[in-house]
Amino acid sequence: MKAEKKNGAASPFSFPVSPALTVKLAKLGLTRDADLVLHIPLRWEDETRLTPIRDLLPGDTAQVQATVTEAAIAYRPRRMLTLSVRDAGGGVLGIRFLHFYPSHSKLFQPGETFRFIGEIRGGFLGLEMVHPRFVKAGDDTPLPSGLTPVYPTTAGLGQAALRKVVARALEAPIEDTLPANWLSKLQLPALDTSIRTLHQPPADAALAELDAHRHPAWQRLAFDELLAQQLSLAAARAQRRTLTTQPLPAQQRLTADFLSTLPFALTAAQQRAWEEISPDLAQPHPMRRLLQGDVGSGKTVVAALACLQAVENGLQAAFMAPTEILAEQHAKKLTPLFESLGLRCAWISGSQRKSARTAAWQAVAAGEADVVFGTHALFQEAGSFRNLGLVVVDEQHRFGVGQRLALMQKGSEPHQLMMSATPIPRTLAMSFFADLDVSTIDELPPGRTPIVTKLVSAARRDDVLARVREACLEGGQTYWVCPLIEESEKLQLQTAEDTHAALTAQLPELNIGLVHGRLKPAEKQAVMDAFQAGDIHLLVATTVIEVGVDVPNAALMVIEHAERMGLAQLHQLRGRVGRGSRESACVLLFETPLSELARARLKVIFESTDGFEIARQDLLLRGPGELLGHRQSGLPMLRFADLERDVELLEAARELAQRCLKQHPEIAARHVERWLGGRQGLAGS
Ligand code: ADP
Ligand code: MG
């Protein structure tokens, strides 16, 4: 297609579009004819009928055809243009424009007839419309034969202009990307009819069905979108298969020694995960695997085995965690175990003294360290590895996609094992994470006592205090989690300190510690060590303890203002207890009144301790965009498909993507190009 010229400026479309309009369209991501064609309306309005004013009811959205009887500019309570109009049936309606131009007051001359479309309100002086859309009309002006699309738009770009360019783009026939016999098997309509139906639904189209996205035309678009996503992810995966890296075959030396020193046997689920990871490391292509398992399921041991398999082959492993507390905890726990097997370990963190850090990096660069523990400082700094074979990323969901990439750019492609305790619901795993292989630990180590969750109104705080005192005096330990104050870190700190002071006054017989994000790492560590050693009975904490902290003797947790927290966060927090043989409980204090969403969340967390079920509910309550978090925003979002609603389509798309890539790569390429244009690179990682 060749761009025509107008006013000397090239239009990116196959028809002339003014430069100003082109800029506005680009703001909506519309830069090709195909983009316009896929710019599907948000909703539709029925302008195919005129409603007599007499039949109008407040709350209706309706179209009337009426003649202006009075027009005036009022100044009280503010400047506005008011009209009184009367239709053929004799009904009278008030119209108000709060923003208007001199041209408006010229246009609305008594005697002139218009069609007004808008919502009917029961006004002070009878029924009225405020800011209706309108067109000048006579009795012989034809009504549109189909529903009127209302498009998503941006400031300064009106519906009329958008409708015009979209209609123009729709003049050309829309070629299907998929063969007709595939479609009939899938029971999906042709792309051309589907798209036209959505842009210009016939007057008798079931609006409810269209709005609810149940219409076959929607299904077709949702399917195509999912297919494009599956294809591009599969391509990213195939691309990864073309990369080579050092294979790390199992030598059964260090790993076997390690297993024999563990005081426990792997659970069947850990064993299964390890049997997937170990051979994957032996491949000459970089592993990109997500190890997911609920809080406390024992992912660390499996990651340790992977590190050992890398070291067995003479390569280095990096073990990264998103927070200092967590990274240090891994280092403390694993370093002695690794050293007893003859490994050399290093520790690198952002808060380390410069000299210590320089020394650590020197050891890493010289190959004098086999395993390096650290935070993201590991890849934000200029240091380099001698021969990095494996990167373990704990709590992967805490790292952004960008950070994942930065890491990859460091040296050649190492194998990568990412761990997440926020289980990814199956549908998400199948879509956004489909470029990863996934291993799942779906079983907790034996001997865990189930956690009892209690919902307690904040009015009963005193009862809770009594319970904390009792639990601590009996030899148990307790976490007290301060309310989350997202708006202000300063306030958050203040609250933590106030809570600590109040609890210290109320429970004088207990030793009470405080840990929050603003403590220096050494101070933080000192508090955590004291808690670990049992010297602190009650640990007041902000949500910094959300991930990874492992103190089996702590069996009671109180969370204040639980209604402010998200489901994943509550689940993570609660996972800090129930790690030993003590009866464990998590008390969720909440303030009333509860919002509907907060109530729904608390119900889920109260009823379930299964991370997968909680994640599924979370997806239902929030939708995938939020679940993935803004950190993951580099991923292309789904515009038409909905991972909960369209599970069947997703499965069908996944299945077809596999076959299509193998047997009809040209169809796959065409389909991806149509849907993702130049953007398909985003889907890989
Ligand atoms: P997470 O999956 O949340 O990272 P961890 O790896 O921290 O869990 O393990 C939680 C606790 O369970 C640790 O104290 C760990 O030593 C213990 N653990 C791990 N595997 C087993 C097992 N197979 N049997 C008994 N305890 C185990
Ligand atoms: Mg962990």
Side-chain angles (χ1 to χ4, degrees):
M1 280 178 282
K2 218 163 170 261
E4 288 170 37
K5 303 230 164 168
K6 190 190 176 188
N7 302 333
S11 158
F13 304 99
S14 67
F15 48 89
V17 172
S18 76
L21 183 53
T22 302
V23 168
K24 286 178 195 155
L25 291 171
K27 272 197 195 147
L28 292 171
L30 309 175
T31 58
R32 315 174 296 171
D33 284 21
D35 299 332
L36 291 174
V37 164
L38 288 176
H39 194 61
I40 302 297
L42 276 177
R43 58 194 170 83
W44 300 264
E45 279 177 357
D46 189 351
E47 296 175 6
T48 62
R49 287 174 301 142
L50 295 173
T51 308
I53 292 176
R54 292 221 159 117
D55 296 347
L56 295 178
L57 289 173
D60 287 351
T61 294
Q63 172 171 242
V64 302
Q65 178 163 311
T67 305
V68 177
T69 54
E70 282 170 52
I73 295 174
Y75 291 92
R76 298 261 157 96
R78 51 178 288 190
R79 189 167 173 272
M80 60 181 144
L81 175 63
T82 63
L83 308 179
S84 183
V85 301
R86 178 192 296 269
D87 72 0
V92 173
L93 182 68
I95 305 246
R96 282 194 289 149
F97 291 97
L98 301 175
H99 308 282
F100 62 98
Y101 297 102
S103 59
H104 281 90
S105 31
K106 276 203 203 101
L107 186 69
F108 295 116
Q109 295 292 335
E112 297 285 359
T113 299
F114 296 87
R115 282 185 190 149
F116 298 98
I117 300 154
E119 195 183 326
I120 312 301
R121 296 202 201 167
F124 187 59
L125 300 169
L127 294 182
E128 63 170 9
M129 278 185 187
V130 180
H131 272 280
R133 288 191 288 113
F134 59 88
V135 284
K136 205 161 176 192
D139 285 336
D140 50 352
T141 311
L143 286 162
S145 60
L147 301 179
T148 308
V150 180
Y151 291 103
T153 188
T154 178
L157 178 53
Q159 289 295 327
L162 251 176
R163 280 180 198 139
K164 219 189 243 159
V165 283
V166 172
R168 196 62 209 271
L170 284 170
E171 278 171 16
I174 301 160
E175 211 186 311
D176 216 303
T177 53
L178 305 178
N181 59 335
W182 295 13
L183 292 173
S184 65
K185 248 188 235 139
L186 292 159
Q187 296 186 313
L188 289 170
L191 187 62
D192 188 274
T193 17
S194 301
I195 287 179
R196 283 177 205 286
T197 304
L198 291 175
H199 284 290
Q200 298 150 349
D204 61 352
L207 256 181
E209 225 175 62
L210 276 175
D211 279 332
H213 299 185
R214 270 177 294 138
H215 197 281
W218 261 113
Q219 300 271 300
R220 171 67 208 264
L221 288 200
F223 178 81
D224 276 27
E225 180 176 42
L226 290 167
L227 180 64
Q229 186 193 43
Q230 291 298 316
L231 287 169
S232 76
L233 287 167
R237 210 181 164 106
Q239 167 70 21
R240 181 152 54 86
R241 294 272 151 204
T242 67
L243 299 173
T244 55
T245 195
Q246 168 108 9
L248 307 170
Q251 311 288 349
Q252 307 291 6
R253 264 188 318 111
L254 293 171
T255 50
D257 289 352
F258 178 71
L259 285 173
S260 69
T261 60
L262 282 180
F264 48 74
L266 294 185
T267 62
Q270 283 171 317
Q271 184 67 34
R272 232 177 5 251
W274 175 235
E275 281 167 14
E276 288 167 4
I277 295 166
S278 178
D280 214 5
L281 290 170
Q283 299 294 315
H285 318 292
M287 172 174 85
R288 202 71 62 82
R289 186 173 285 273
L290 181 70
L291 174 60
Q292 60 171 348
D294 211 342
V295 190
S297 61
K299 297 182 289 293
T300 317
V301 174
V302 176
L305 285 167
C307 292
L308 291 169
Q309 190 163 316
V311 177
E312 272 180 353
N313 284 281
L315 270 74
Q316 293 172 305
F319 201 126
M320 287 194 340
T323 65
E324 294 242 341
I325 287 191
L326 189 52
E328 192 145 352
Q329 183 170 303
H330 283 318
K332 282 223 160 120
K333 216 164 173 180
L334 293 175
T335 299
L337 290 171
F338 284 171
E339 283 180 350
S340 74
L341 299 171
L343 270 62
R344 298 153 305 172
C345 298
W347 160 250
I348 288 174
S349 90
S351 66
Q352 216 168 11
R353 268 173 196 287
K354 192 146 195 290
S355 56
R357 198 153 71 225
T358 311
W361 271 124
Q362 267 166 8
V364 173
E368 286 155 13
D370 302 304
V371 182
V372 190
F373 294 95
T375 58
H376 44 274
L378 272 185
F379 55 86
Q380 282 175 346
E381 294 188 359
S384 64
F385 291 82
R386 163 85 191 238
N387 50 10
L388 183 61
L390 168 72
V391 180
V392 174
V393 185
D394 196 11
E395 308 294 343
Q396 175 272 338
H397 59 285
R398 288 271 177 136
F399 288 92
V401 168
Q403 293 185 329
R404 226 158 91 185
L405 293 177
L407 174 73
M408 301 320 300
Q409 279 153 13
K410 207 152 203 176
S412 68
E413 294 268 340
H415 295 281
Q416 228 188 119
L417 180 65
M418 287 156 275
M419 300 195 280
S420 176
T422 301
I424 297 161
R426 204 170 63 92
T427 47
L428 266 190
M430 275 162 61
S431 54
F432 290 103
F433 291 91
D435 65 323
L436 301 178
D437 295 303
V438 179
S439 295
T440 303
I441 304 183
D442 54 4
E443 159 188 24
L444 294 181
R448 296 280 167 82
T449 46
I451 307 167
V452 177
T453 301
K454 300 217 152 103
L455 295 177
V456 180
S457 156
R460 288 177 46 214
R461 200 166 183 272
D462 286 347
D463 297 351
V464 175
L465 282 179
R467 178 157 182 186
V468 169
R469 176 189 289 119
E470 195 180 326
C472 290
L473 293 180
E474 278 173 6
Q477 288 170 281
T478 303
Y479 295 102
W480 189 287
V481 182
C482 297
L484 173 71
I485 301 171
E486 276 182 342
E487 306 77 37
S488 156
E489 206 186 338
K490 216 163 127 196
L491 253 167
Q492 171 93 56
L493 179 63
Q494 183 68 46
T495 310
E497 282 171 348
D498 292 351
T499 308
H500 179 253
L503 289 172
T504 306
Q506 286 161 319
L507 300 167
E509 56 279 71
L510 301 185
N511 202 356
I512 305 181
L514 171 64
V515 62
H516 55 72
R518 296 310 294 270
L519 286 183
K520 294 212 180 77
E523 296 168 334
K524 217 185 280 180
Q525 198 53 45
V527 178
M528 293 313 293
D529 285 348
F531 190 61
Q532 189 101 42
D535 297 338
I536 290 176
H537 299 116
L538 174 60
L539 181 64
V540 177
T542 53
T543 51
V544 294
I545 58 155
E546 187 190 338
V547 288
V549 175
D550 187 28
V551 181
N553 194 46
L556 178 61
M557 171 176 284
V558 180
I559 302 179
E560 279 198 89
H561 275 291
E563 79 280 359
R564 289 190 197 162
M565 293 187 193
L567 272 177
Q569 194 166 33
L570 286 170
H571 180 62
Q572 292 274 322
L573 282 169
R574 183 173 58 181
R576 301 305 115 214
V577 293
R579 302 193 147 223
S581 48
R582 281 180 181 277
E583 297 231 337
S584 298
C586 180
V587 177
L588 305 177
L589 282 174
F590 63 87
E591 293 283 345
T592 47
L594 285 175
S595 73
E596 202 150 312
L597 180 62
R599 186 182 298 274
R601 281 202 297 244
L602 290 178
K603 182 168 184 290
V604 171
I605 204 81
F606 175 71
E607 285 177 352
S608 179
T609 50
D610 174 355
F612 282 87
E613 176 57 20
I614 291 169
R616 208 181 70 79
Q617 296 291 342
D618 208 14
L619 182 65
L620 279 176
L621 288 173
R622 295 201 295 169
E626 270 201 63
L627 189 59
L628 288 168
H630 60 280
R631 293 186 181 88
Q632 302 272 11
S633 60
L635 294 165
M637 292 316 289
L638 294 170
R639 293 152 66 199
F640 303 107
D642 175 302
L643 292 179
E644 275 297 323
R645 188 186 57 218
D646 300 323
V647 181
E648 281 173 35
L649 288 177
L650 173 58
E651 305 214 4
R654 193 156 89 124
E655 207 247 334
L656 183 64
Q658 308 293 342
R659 267 191 297 133
C660 184
L661 272 177
K662 273 201 205 96
Q663 296 162 15
H664 302 279
E666 73 293 347
I667 295 180
R670 188 171 71 197
H671 189 81
V672 170
E673 165 61 25
R674 168 75 64 86
W675 276 85
L676 301 172
R679 291 177 289 165
Q680 70 266 47
L682 280 177
S685 58

